Amino acid sequence: MSSNERFSRRAIDDAIDRAVGDMMQLDPHPGLRRRVLSRLERSSRPRTLWTWGSWEVVSAAAVLMIIVAVVGGRWRQTPVEIAQTPTAPVALSAPVAPSAPVAPLAPSAPVAPPVPASRPARNAMARSEAIFGPRRDRVSAASAARLAAEGEPVDIVPPVHEQDSIAVAPIVMRPLPQMQELRIAPIEIQRLTVPALSPPR
Amino acid sequence: MTATGSGQAAADPTDLDLVRLAQAGDLDAFGELVERNRRAVFRAALAAVGSATEADDVAQEAFVTAWCKLSGFRGDSQFRTWLLSITWRKAIDRRKRIGRWLKLAATPSRDEAGDDQFDVMDRVPSFERRQDVVLEGAELQAQIRKLIRTLPHKLRESLLLAGSGEHTYDEISAMLDAPVGTVKWRVAEARRVLRRKLAACGYSNE
């Protein structure tokens, strides 16, 4: 072996020192101070939505989704309330005594037409249009008269105005007759006799 | 005397003066602390993560963390030592996360005590030395750097920190959370292991 192949311990130590020095004699990238200070200034500013960290945005979005899910679930579970029109309280008429004579009909007595209870306007459904066109076999008053003139059998219904008018006698309130005293017969208990059963076979 | 002393303090404030100013919210004072310690912080991170880019990131994070924790610094120790401890923890966390530095490193089979505790010799790439090559140049340096990377963590970190030229043994001791004597032993042991490996490669008679 030549002398170049072997190194003294001192030479090896020097080589190790040089190698370590080469590995460690590095400097940070220029502008470290500026980068650090700019980061600190950024962090000290009031934070806006765009400067939030990703985890903060994600957690805020998660909370928002949970709130929406809870509120939406409650909204779906709420039963649909059917709008009921308030009905006027029914005025119960006084009981009519069976023995009370009914007043004779007074045809001349004017009958006040029933006043319809005021109701809130309903949402009228849209009338369906005749999508198949006008019906040809529809019988109308005009066509019935024409058919009768032509000799076709047509059941002609008498007009409504020829019917007798219905008169309703006014309800007359009469005092109730005095009720008689109720008497309840005493209950008689009769002895029950049961015949003896025969033993089973 | 007092005026002169305060004038000198204003002209060349100590680290503690700057820390007090920074604790009061003076970013410029903290910037001066960054400037004074940037190299030591960077090289400490470099010894742990082994990459200049990663070390730069770690140094930046360490300074930001130091600013955030500055109110808790009471001056019981040197600011630089406190800062280097933060840096070291950051660097170790980074190294664990990315795992770049030790891709080529061997895992010791046992602890670092004893002569034959390493099995890294099996991992040293064998090469035939050419008789006509002068080995005092780049080849030996490259071989040593490769062998340094195969050292166990504790030996390598102690050797690199001691050879960085920026850290005292006291600072290394505080960073590694080990007594100064242990740090010195690790440095000597690292050298001895390197010499033995180089001898196995034919570079010396040891």
Side-chain angles (χ1 to χ4, degrees):
Chain A
M1 284 186 186
S2 68
S3 60
N4 285 340
E5 292 180 278
R6 301 278 180 183
F7 293 89
S8 66
R9 176 169 177 167
R10 184 186 180 89
I12 290 292
D13 282 342
D14 290 343
I16 291 173
D17 288 341
R18 271 202 310 276
V20 171
D22 288 345
M23 293 175 74
M24 296 300 294
Q25 299 299 319
L26 297 176
D27 285 335
H29 297 310
L32 178 63
R33 175 180 180 170
R34 177 179 47 78
R35 279 180 276 131
V36 170
L37 292 184
S38 63
R39 264 185 75 172
L40 294 179
E41 284 173 356
R42 273 204 309 271
S43 62
S44 63
R45 280 182 204 151
R47 307 175 85 188
T48 62
L49 180 64
W50 305 110
T51 56
W52 278 17
S54 59
W55 67 272
E56 290 167 316
V57 173
V58 168
S59 50
V63 169
L64 187 64
M65 287 176 65
I66 290 171
I67 291 172
V68 168
V70 170
V71 172
R74 285 188 180 177
W75 179 75
R76 286 184 183 174
Q77 288 174 358
T78 302
V80 178
E81 295 181 358
I82 300 172
Q84 293 181 345
T85 56
T87 54
V90 178
L92 294 176
S93 58
V96 178
S99 59
V102 176
L105 292 176
S108 59
V111 177
V115 178
S118 63
R119 291 183 177 182
R122 286 186 178 179
N123 291 331
M125 292 181 65
R127 295 178 183 274
S128 59
E129 299 293 334
I131 57 175
F132 299 111
R135 291 178 60 179
R136 295 179 180 175
D137 56 346
R138 178 174 293 175
V139 177
S140 63
S143 62
R146 180 174 51 82
L147 291 174
E150 291 174 356
E152 294 288 334
V154 176
D155 295 333
I156 298 176
V157 180
V160 177
H161 59 81
E162 292 181 2
Q163 295 289 332
D164 294 335
S165 60
I166 299 173
V168 179
I171 298 171
V172 178
M173 301 295 292
R174 295 191 181 276
L176 290 171
Q178 193 165 8
M179 292 189 67
Q180 305 233 343
E181 186 180 356
L182 288 176
R183 290 183 183 178
I184 299 173
I187 298 172
E188 293 181 0
I189 298 173
Q190 294 181 354
R191 173 170 286 182
L192 183 65
T193 56
V194 179
L197 296 173
S198 59
R201 293 179 183 177
Chain B
M1 288 294 287
T2 307
T4 307
S6 61
Q8 284 179 349
D12 189 15
T14 63
D15 279 3
L16 195 56
D17 295 333
L18 293 172
V19 166
R20 297 301 177 218
L21 289 172
Q23 283 176 333
D26 190 345
L27 261 183
D28 291 334
F30 189 75
E32 181 60 26
L33 287 170
V34 172
E35 190 63 30
R36 288 185 183 186
N37 297 284
R38 63 184 182 89
R39 185 173 292 168
V41 167
F42 172 80
R43 289 184 181 175
L46 183 64
V49 298
S51 158
T53 305
E54 298 292 342
D56 201 74
D57 287 346
V58 169
Q60 199 170 320
E61 286 181 17
F63 281 121
V64 172
T65 304
W67 169 262
C68 295
K69 294 184 176 178
L70 200 59
S71 59
F73 177 73
R74 287 174 295 183
D76 298 335
S77 62
Q78 296 271 335
F79 171 75
R80 182 186 172 98
T81 306
W82 179 76
L83 177 63
L84 287 174
S85 296
I86 292 175
T87 304
W88 190 254
R89 284 195 295 272
K90 288 279 178 190
I92 295 300
D93 288 346
R94 174 66 67 98
R95 185 175 71 188
K96 286 178 182 174
R97 241 183 2 244
I98 61 177
R100 281 185 191 167
W101 175 245
L102 295 181
K103 280 185 179 174
L104 297 176
T107 305
S109 58
R110 290 179 235 160
D111 202 356
E112 58 194 36
D115 287 342
D116 55 349
Q117 71 271 36
F118 303 123
D119 60 352
V120 290
M121 296 304 295
D122 300 334
R123 303 181 183 231
V124 173
S126 62
F127 60 96
E128 296 293 332
R129 291 185 61 211
R130 290 160 47 186
Q131 300 292 327
D132 56 343
V133 175
V134 178
L135 298 175
E136 281 189 350
E139 185 180 347
L140 176 60
Q141 289 293 309
Q143 184 64 20
I144 292 174
R145 283 197 291 271
K146 190 182 294 181
L147 292 176
I148 287 173
R149 291 190 180 96
T150 65
L151 287 173
H153 286 191
K154 292 180 179 177
L155 298 188
R156 187 184 63 240
E157 291 161 0
S158 301
L159 178 69
L160 293 178
L161 288 171
S164 70
E166 285 291 330
H167 310 107
T168 64
Y169 275 111
D170 288 334
E171 290 170 352
I172 297 171
S173 167
M175 272 190 278
L176 301 182
D177 196 19
V180 174
T182 302
V183 174
K184 289 182 178 178
W185 178 85
R186 287 178 185 172
V187 174
E189 180 67 12
R191 287 179 174 279
R192 196 183 65 76
V193 171
L194 288 175
R195 282 197 300 269
R196 188 162 60 88
K197 290 180 179 179
L198 288 170
C201 296
Y203 284 108
S204 69
N205 289 323
E206 190 171 322

